[in-house]
């Protein structure tokens, strides 16, 4: 974690990560206004009236209201349950995100606010803060940093400068204060309340109301290649709601100093407790003034994002801007947790080997040396329901540590059951010379590889599947894969897809109607079944962990 940092590359733990969201217009929906919960990846109709954060807190009912209004004994600061979004109702529209890192006796946070003079996005400001904490204490002395010298989702790594100090104190699991002194003479005390209510904090007379496993996905996340910017998240199944802040820079902010700082808030639409794929709306706040309500903050919806967790320590953040200074920009950022994984986090199956399976009749090994196949988007204009495949490669011989720099090769049939590169297929079709729906990606430091494709179709004798191989050597040739396996898909999702317009002509698979009848998956799908989220209109995300003995 950062201590004193002179103008030098920012620490890899990224001194911008814990930024909260913008509490005022940062826009949380009133629980009474929230539409029916549902799983979805597509666009979600925005409500015409969005309450300020303070309004949300005051209108909460049930356990949340009790958590926000009942005085509690001062909690032990050394607990992950104090992590999350905090703000001052008087200055709603700016606030803080905090992460207490379990087992490391360290507290990390980010403060999103504005310059002393209101204006456009160039007056946005954010600070990070951190310091050691003591077990049993209810307060801590922290150092405040400000970062600069970065570019939006790109290198170089920025630098952080110590600009002040603060004392963070908690009166209860839902209230506290942040007393700060900045080197430029500004000082004050920010009274803090929780944005979403208590989910996991405990004290002498406080009980929690949410799943600790969900809340354990909260925290600061970053990409090692662009260290110095990142995402701070609170996943709160008590509300249920997900609130995050994205701390980054202007597209060409490297030489802009503090005016190159940028932050956005991200808020869930239709989150259901237990979701590992979360649809978010992105907002930008402007016209604010530092720790003050002197000006009315303007909040603008600027895009959407999807946060897909593939484990307790890795995720993919996919964004698409429709407005604002980043309009037209889209992409995917592979995220890694900055601190230790909370013990309460439980994700998917246990650390286990994924079964080996046949490579089938259509592996097309001749393309492995083709550099054009090293690509993320493998559709080649094939039509179908969009599918993002997120794979994570881990070593079961090393406590399931991620395996980086491995090549992952996937291939599958199109919506009509046809593979590329072969003759005499379904209906006598020949696709010799084609390479659609095949691709190779190299795993990142989190062991992840991501592909953009379409939902697979079916052919006689096999149930829906995707073929997967992993290579640890630099040369990809037939017979050198460390694992050959297949991904299975939930039958209920597959039936919905095959009933959709694009797939209706081929229809449902009547040749194999259960996994027990399939010659590959008949022995079980425990470790090969994809976790699926999404819908036909917007597409799906499929995640799978590949455990190998490396």
């Amino acid at each position: 974690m950062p201590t004193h940092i002179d103008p030098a590359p920012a620490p890899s733990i990224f001194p911008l990560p814990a930024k909260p969201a913008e509490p005022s217009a940062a826009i949380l929906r009133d629980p009474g206004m929230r539409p029916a919960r549902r799983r979805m990846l597509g666009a979600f109709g925005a409500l015409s009236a969005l309450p300020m954060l303070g309004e949300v807190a005051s209108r909460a009912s049930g356990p949340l209201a009790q958590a926000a209004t009942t005085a509690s004994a001062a909690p032990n600061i050394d607990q992950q349950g104090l992590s999350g979004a905090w703000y001052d109702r008087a200055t709603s529209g700016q606030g803080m995100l905090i992460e207490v890192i379990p087992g490391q006796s360290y507290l990390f946070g980010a403060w999103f606010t504005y310059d002393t003079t209101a204006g456009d996005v160039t007056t946005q400001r954010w600070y990070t803060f951190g310091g050691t904490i003591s077990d049993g204490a209810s307060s801590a002395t922290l150092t405040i940093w400000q970062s600069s010298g970065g570019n939006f989702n790109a290198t170089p790594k920025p630098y952080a400068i110590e600009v002040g100090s603060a004392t963070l104190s908690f009166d209860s699991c839902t209230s506290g204060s942040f007393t700060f002194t900045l080197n430029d003479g500004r000082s004050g005390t920010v009274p803090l309340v929780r944005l979403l209510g208590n989910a996991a904090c405990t004290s002498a007379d406080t009980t929690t109301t949410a799943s600790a496993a969900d809340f354990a996905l909260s925290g600061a996340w970053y990409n090692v290649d662009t260290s110095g910017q990142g995402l701070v998240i609170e996943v709160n199944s008590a509300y249920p709601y997900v609130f995050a802040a994205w701390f980054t820079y202007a597209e060409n902010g490297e030489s802009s100093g503090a005016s190159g700082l940028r932050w956005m808030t991200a808020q869930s639409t239709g989150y259901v407790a237990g979701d590992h794929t979360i649809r978010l709306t992105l907002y930008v706040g402007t016209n604010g003034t530092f720790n003050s309500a002197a000006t009315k903050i303007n909040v603008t919806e600027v895009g959407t994002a999807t946060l897909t967790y593939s484990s307790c320590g890795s995720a993919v953040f996919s964004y698409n801007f429709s407005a604002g200074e980043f309009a037209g920009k889209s992409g995917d950022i592979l995220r890694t947790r900055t601190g230790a994984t909370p013990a309460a986090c439980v994700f998917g199956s246990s650390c286990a080997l994924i079964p080996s399976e046949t490579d089938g009749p259509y592996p097309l090994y001749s393309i492995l040396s083709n550099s054009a196949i090293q690509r993320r988007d493998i559709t080649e204009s094939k039509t179908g329901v969009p599918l993002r495949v997120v794979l994570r490669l881990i070593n079961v011989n090393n406590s399931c540590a991620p395996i980086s720099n491995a090549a992952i090769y996937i291939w599958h049939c199109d919506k009509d059951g046809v593979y590329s590169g072969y003759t005499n297929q379904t209906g006598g079709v020949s696709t010799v010379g084609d390479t659609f729906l095949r691709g190779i990606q190299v795993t990142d430091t989190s062991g992840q590889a991501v592909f953009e494709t379409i939902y697979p179709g079916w052919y006689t004798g096999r149930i829906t599947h995707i073929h997967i191989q992993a290579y640890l050597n630099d040369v990809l040739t037939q017979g050198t894969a460390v694992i050959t396996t297949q991904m299975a898909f939930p039958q209920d999702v597959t039936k919905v897809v095959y009933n959709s317009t694009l797939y209706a002509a081929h229809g449902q698979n009547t040749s194999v109607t259960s996994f027990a009848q399939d010659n590959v998956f008949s022995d079980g799908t425990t470790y090969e079944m994809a976790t699926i989220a999404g819908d036909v209109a917007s597409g799906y995300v499929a995640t799978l962990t590949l455990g190998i003995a490396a």
Side-chain angles (χ1 to χ4, degrees), residues 131-164:
T132 57
I133 53 180
S134 300
D135 184 32
S138 59
S139 63
T141 300
L142 309 170
T143 301
I144 302 175
W145 298 273
Q146 186 174 67
S147 299
S148 60
N151 295 319
F152 174 78
N153 192 30
T155 56
K157 294 180 180 180
Y159 55 87
I161 297 176
E162 182 177 328
V163 295

Side-chain angles (χ1 to χ4, degrees), residues 182-207:
L182 298 179
N183 296 344
D184 61 9
R186 287 177 291 172
S187 63
T189 296
V190 183
L192 297 174
V193 294
R194 277 193 181 276
L195 174 62
L196 297 179
N198 183 28
C201 175
T202 59
S203 65
D205 53 0
T206 300
T207 57

Side-chain angles (χ1 to χ4, degrees), residues 10-17 126 149-159 221-231 246-249 319 332-336 338 445:
S12 62
I13 194 120
F14 114 75
L16 21 153
W126 53 258
N151 295 319
F152 174 78
N153 192 30
T155 56
K157 294 180 180 180
Y159 55 87
W221 299 71
Y222 80 123
N223 182 287
V224 293
D225 295 328
T226 56
S227 175
Q229 46 191 310
L231 197 69
W246 183 1
F247 300 92
T248 184
Y249 302 88
Y319 61 89
D332 301 278
I333 306 174
L334 302 179
R335 300 289 190 183
T336 301
T338 61
T445 54

